[in-house]
Amino acid sequence: MTGGDVVLQTTNATNATGAGVSRPPSAPLADSIAGMLGLDGVVGAVVGGLIGAFLIANVMLTTTAIAGPWAKRKITASFTDRIAVNRVGPFGLLIIVADSVRLLSKELIVPDGVDRPAWDLAPIVITFSALIGFAVIPFGSGLQLADPETGVVFVFAAASIASVGVVMAGYASNNKYSLLGGLRAIASNIAYEIPLIVTAASVVIFAGTLQMSEIVAVQRQPLVTVAGVTIPQWFAIVNPFAFALFTLANLAEIGRNPFDLPEAPTEIVAGFQTEYSSVYFVLLYLGEFIHIFLGGAIAATLFLGGPAGPVLPGFVWFYVKMWAFFLFTQWARSAVPRLRIDQFLDAGWKGMLVLSFANLALTAILVGVIV
Amino acid sequence: MSLEEPGPDADAAAVARAADEMEALVGEHVRSRDDHLNAPGYVVRPDAVQDVLGTLREEANLDHLSCVTAQEYEDRYESIYHLKSYDDPTHEASVVVPTPKDDPRSESAAPVFRTADWHEREAYDLVGVEYEDHPDLRRILLPETWQGHPLSLDYDQERPQIVPLREHANPLEDDQEGDEGETMYLNIGPHHPATHGVLHLKTTLDGEQVIDVDPDIGYLHRCEEQLCQKSTYRYQIMPYPDRWDYISAGLLNEWAYARAIEDMADIEVPEYAQVIRTMGAELCRIAAHMLAVGTFALDVYGDFTAIFMYAVRDREKVQNILEDLTGQRLMFNYFRLGGVVWDLPDPREEFFESIRDFLDHLPGSLEEYHDLISANEILQVRTVDTGVLPPEVAKSYGATGPVARGSGVDYDLRRDDPYGYYDELDWDVVTEDGMDNYSRLLVRLREVEESAKIIEQCVDLLEDWPTDDRTIQSNVPRTIRPDDDTEVYRAVEAAKGELGIYMRSDGTEQPARFKIRSPCFSNLQTLPEMSNGEYIPDLVASLGSLDIVLGEVDR
Amino acid sequence: MIGILKGMATTMKHALDGKTFTVEYPDVAPEVSPRFRGVHKFSQERCIWCRQCENVCPNDTIQIVMDDKRNGEQYNLHIGQCIYCRLCEEVCPVDAILLTQNFEFTADTKDEFVYNKEQLKNVPWYKGIDPLNSRNPDRDAWIGEGEGEIDYE
Ligand code: SF4
Ligand code: SF4
């Protein structure tokens, strides 16, 4: 499995570099597991990494399983004055089981003329690219699989592998709608990934590090204290403009309204996923939701202080923040129209890109002046 | 035979004079007169069609070819061009073009009126008249390989029809323009989330841009015209109009038939019934527009938009009222010749209360729609100046209803050719000058307000209506046999535009020819005009803004 | 921007007020109007076998078989083919065929929808509503009959 390999490597890298004295406060999960098991060296790194990856991946898969068949329906329903799933189990929760069985038991239709290896690989690539991204996300309460010094770069790199998967799916499906969807995905990813990363770079300039845990740590420092309440230095508060830019670009990156052009069901049927059914469809669907949550996780880490929050443990706060982002995407879906592809690209290249560079330059100047 | 509405003598004389003047204009071509109940009919030679129509359009201001009817007699074929004026729809004329049995060829009107393109294709498809000079004369409703013309007299209904597999052949092969592969051919539909039914758009794309789109219709063809020709005037036809435009516009459609037959058989409708009809029809219009707005939002926003659900919820309220009134939610069958089948439901106060309740909440809902739709900047970016349909083009295609009014064509039969109780009430015709998808949306939203105004006035009237004068139906005999060879074309303003019925009687209790002029059919024709050169999303949005119902397009 | 925010505020308002308009069918039997037209009910006791319903039906849904003495033998109605136009009820001079409000009918095959007179007789009233009362006004206008007690069961 690709996932395991990459995680393993990063874990090794962390081990090599992070063994020094300046250990971040929340120790990478792999190390702690290794420590708990009393293992050391390479064996410890491998076993710890694998178990950690297993844990995190399971948490995320469970989250998406709740989000996909159940929460999404419930949320959409409440925006549209309906009840939604309430037939199976308490609050209709067992629909998750029912739906998985239903989807998995469907026939896997392989259309004529699909480009076989690419067509088969695409769902896997899309899903696992998102899962890999979680390797460096600091969930708080010590739940972080790996903490490389280049965490921010890694997470964006991993997330954007999904574009490759989408293009593979679109191109290999031998379907014109899929092709259009794939092309739209490339166009949108190129146009919006640059502003996304450039905006993230402004955070990096502030924090002075690419390491996820450090970025979180920086945000823990107090910004101002008003009447005894200390407002922490969350970058969303420090630079709300950058946060807004990031959220927009993030929506485009994960392909949600108003930027859900690669799928655009009323225009190009289902875009790149048109030809997928059964297990592959489940994988694609999972991948999509994990991507939303990864987007939320990145936003939470970079702008919302990561796991920071009063009373409750860090992990819970982080989880809540991810869900808040998910809720936001669904909210936007209920009321924001989709842009047209040319307007969307215009907005990306002429609007977002310029604004994000302006934001970066301003931040750089400000940081230069202050520091 | 009387011309126009039988009115005071002076009126009739004026109408007759106007008819003679028109005849003078095209005098050299007119072989005889074959007047219809609604309009003077000029019989012209098959090779003078373009001349006559062109002259009438330029000189007599008959700029609206509302319908083309073809039919077969024992001794001849006949094509009838029903002309009207957009400024004054009561100014009408029919151009009758007989063609011999053995060689049913006639000149096409397509160079004069672009709308004739599809109408003549349909005439060719169903009746078998051939039009020379037609840009693209092929079948439109039936498959290309169909044998025979179903509405011709010698058509054998029992004969099995075979649609060979090549009908489903890859349409790519001969449609790819050039070998360079610059363009891509895309089948949108027949099963596609945005086609609002089974519509097939043969689209040629350059990248994401539409170069050419050719709507392929007929998937929902249910022989409605023939069904009506096989049914009795008195009872059996009335249930069918509900099924043409089945998007809750049933009463509006029923009115089209009711109006035509009441003219033909000279049936009076009591005033009380007219008020009820008016109220019911406007309720239907609200319901239909709600769905139009909702689905349009769905096309532009995506599957998860809340607007659709809100619109459907409001439509549901209308349907509850209509269910109380008519006994059914969609297929009302509420009108009868000379009135309606039921009086308002008892207790009347409760019924009025429910309508008033709905009307009271309507402004609030509309405000929400405006917040959600028309005030939304992204929607404006998406819809303003896309799907542009200039008024001249709209007229040439015979577009009517909100589509025409969104292009600034001030044409509404409720006001211009009054029927029912509309001319007694206080309301306005809504027009917008934007010519684009956004204007069509606004027209619908504002028309809902106007309909609400009409309903409110009707409710006021009905509440105070004297108890002893509540005749819901005039006395109509159990069988109706209009005089032999009476012809009439009558139209009403349905939810999507001008819904017209042409009927010819042959002295029996069933019509000899029953032709439906569907507004969606004409409106859909404008789609290529609106979307060539635009992006796929705009094509989808334009299609949504046309608000077609395939049941009515294909009939 | 204001417009977008307004739109989002509207949907959020709807989400928060918690109102729904879903009918939880079949747990809750929906309200239908007394005029609603559902499956037919037939009364052989009342029928005079005049065949008017058969003649008026627009799509030959009703099939009546009589013996040579014009006594009715069969009365078949294809409720799957019926378009629920209520014309049969309208023309029936003795209210022998009535449309109940019952809209719930299922079958495995289309053939099972051909109801004979026994099955038509046993169609239950929906929520026990006899629709004749609500339809009385029109009966006066149409047929001038319909008063008096009618026992269908
Ligand atoms: S309701 Fe209409 S279609 Fe049904 S049986 Fe009666 S007349 Fe025929
Ligand atoms: S119309 Fe009434 S009485 Fe006559 S056959 Fe039909 S059900 Fe019987």
Side-chain angles (χ1 to χ4, degrees), chain B residues 221-498:
Chain B
H221 180 54
R222 293 156 299 163
C223 327
E224 291 283 358
E225 290 177 2
Q226 198 160 25
L227 274 175
C228 292
Q229 279 165 222
K230 295 244 167 356
S231 303
T232 57
Y233 292 109
R234 183 64 178 92
Y235 295 108
Q236 293 182 341
I237 294 180
M238 199 53 99
Y240 286 111
D242 293 323
R243 288 156 175 86
W244 303 338
D245 172 0
Y246 43 68
I247 308 287
S248 51
L251 293 183
L252 297 156
N253 302 355
E254 285 174 21
W255 209 335
Y257 169 65
R259 192 172 183 205
I261 182 64
E262 278 156 12
D263 252 26
M264 191 180 213
D266 224 349
I267 299 170
E268 285 291 316
V269 184
E271 220 170 304
Y272 181 65
Q274 291 286 29
V275 181
I276 298 182
R277 280 184 176 188
T278 310
M279 181 185 74
E282 290 309 310
L283 282 169
C284 282
R285 193 182 310 276
I286 291 184
H289 280 355
M290 287 290 178
L291 197 76
V293 169
T295 47
F296 177 68
L298 212 56
D299 288 343
V300 176
Y301 283 63
D303 282 0
F304 289 86
T305 181
I307 304 147
F308 178 72
M309 277 329 261
Y310 299 165
V312 166
R313 178 203 55 199
D314 285 332
R315 176 169 172 268
E316 201 72 2
K317 290 183 189 158
V318 183
Q319 281 185 321
N320 284 338
I321 297 174
L322 284 170
E323 186 192 324
D324 283 344
L325 179 66
T326 68
Q328 205 70 289
R329 299 173 74 79
L330 287 174
M331 306 298 160
F332 306 112
N333 189 24
Y334 180 62
F335 285 18
R336 290 292 181 277
L337 312 193
V340 293
V341 60
W342 274 323
D343 197 356
L344 303 178
D346 278 327
R348 290 166 72 93
E349 293 71 35
E350 231 168 74
F351 181 66
F352 291 135
E353 196 53 43
S354 66
I355 298 184
R356 283 195 197 285
D357 209 42
F358 166 71
L359 292 178
D360 288 346
H361 284 105
L362 195 63
S365 313
L366 281 172
E367 192 154 327
E368 265 184 25
Y369 293 151
H370 281 297
D371 280 352
L372 274 164
I373 315 176
S374 49
N376 193 308
E377 286 87 355
I378 298 185
L379 182 107
Q380 289 172 6
V381 172
R382 274 295 308 274
T383 53
V384 173
D385 284 334
T386 60
V388 177
L389 184 70
E392 284 319 307
V393 181
K395 286 183 179 177
S396 173
Y397 276 111
T400 49
V403 176
R405 291 195 283 274
S407 293
V409 180
D410 192 5
Y411 181 76
D412 190 324
L413 291 174
R414 289 176 290 172
R415 178 200 60 196
D416 301 336
D417 182 11
Y419 56 95
Y421 213 71
Y422 287 113
D423 48 352
E424 313 275 325
L425 304 172
D426 174 31
W427 57 282
D428 296 308
V429 175
V430 177
T431 55
E432 289 280 338
D433 295 325
M435 312 186 285
D436 49 19
N437 293 342
Y438 188 63
S439 315
R440 288 187 277 276
L441 175 72
L442 282 189
V443 166
R444 294 210 173 87
L445 283 172
R446 285 177 51 200
E447 269 183 16
V448 170
E449 286 170 36
E450 293 301 322
S451 295
K453 245 161 74 182
I454 297 177
I455 297 168
E456 192 156 10
Q457 294 170 46
C458 289
V459 172
D460 287 344
L461 280 170
L462 289 172
E463 262 183 335
D464 301 336
W465 208 271
T467 327
D468 48 359
D469 188 22
R470 293 189 189 155
T471 328
I472 51 164
Q473 261 181 27
S474 53
N475 203 354
V476 183
R478 277 222 158 189
T479 41
I480 292 182
R481 290 195 185 83
D483 299 336
D484 192 9
D485 206 28
T486 318
E487 291 171 69
V488 69
Y489 173 79
R490 275 287 172 223
V492 298
E493 186 72 26
K496 329 279 179 194
E498 175 184 339

Side-chain angles (χ1 to χ4, degrees), chain B residues 99-110:
Chain B
T99 38
K101 263 255 112 107
D102 46 356
D103 183 27
R105 277 171 195 286
S106 158
E107 202 177 47
S108 165

Side-chain angles (χ1 to χ4, degrees), chain A residues 122-209:
Chain A
I124 299 168
V125 170
I126 291 173
T127 312
F128 281 92
S129 67
L131 275 178
I132 293 168
F134 279 102
V136 295
I137 297 291
F139 283 85
S141 319
L143 284 170
Q144 188 181 14
L145 207 51
D147 193 14
E149 280 181 346
T150 52
V152 176
V153 176
F154 174 82
V155 78
F156 282 117
S160 51
I161 296 175
S163 320
V164 180
V166 171
V167 175
M168 277 159 73
Y171 184 74
S173 285
N174 190 25
N175 177 317
K176 287 168 189 167
Y177 289 110
S178 303
L179 183 66
L180 282 173
L183 293 178
R184 282 180 175 196
I186 308 176
S188 69
N189 278 326
I190 295 177
Y192 279 79
E193 219 150 79
I194 301 172
L196 183 76
I197 292 172
V198 169
T199 317
S202 74
V203 172
V204 172
I205 290 180
F206 254 127
T209 171

Side-chain angles (χ1 to χ4, degrees), chain C residues 40 53 56-59 61-62 77 82-89 99:
Chain C
H40 305 67
C53 52
V56 82
C57 181
N59 56 356
T61 296
I62 300 173
L77 200 149
C82 174
I83 59 175
Y84 297 93
C85 63
R86 205 193 66 108
L87 288 174
C88 46
E89 177 185 326
L99 275 73

Side-chain angles (χ1 to χ4, degrees), chain B residues 136-151:
Chain B
D136 183 20
L137 193 66
R138 59 195 156 96
R139 290 188 181 272
I140 185 165
L141 294 178
L142 302 177
E144 206 54 44
T145 47
W146 200 266
Q147 302 295 310
H149 303 280
L151 290 183

Side-chain angles (χ1 to χ4, degrees), chain A residues 79 176-177 184 267 334 340, chain B residues 185 187 192 208 306 310 538:
Chain A
F79 281 125
K176 287 168 189 167
Y177 289 110
R184 282 180 175 196
E267 293 161 17
S334 75
R340 199 170 63 211
Chain B
Y185 180 87
N187 285 307
H192 183 280
E208 281 243 7
Y310 299 165
D538 288 340

Side-chain angles (χ1 to χ4, degrees), chain C residues 42-50 52 88-98 132 139 143 145-147 150 152:
Chain C
F42 174 70
S43 151
Q44 193 177 353
E45 290 72 45
R46 298 185 62 89
C47 183
I48 53 172
W49 304 100
C50 66
Q52 290 197 59
C88 46
E89 177 185 326
E90 211 167 294
V91 296
C92 179
V94 292
D95 294 339
I97 184 92
L98 254 192
L132 201 61
R139 236 138 250 283
I143 299 150
E145 280 196 19
E147 277 101 82
I150 296 157
Y152 281 91

Side-chain angles (χ1 to χ4, degrees), chain A residues 73-82, chain B residues 310, chain C residues 11 14-16:
Chain A
R73 286 177 184 171
K74 280 288 192 195
I75 294 169
T76 315
S78 67
F79 281 125
T80 53
D81 288 354
R82 289 178 295 117
Chain B
Y310 299 165
Chain C
T11 54
H14 275 269
L16 294 181

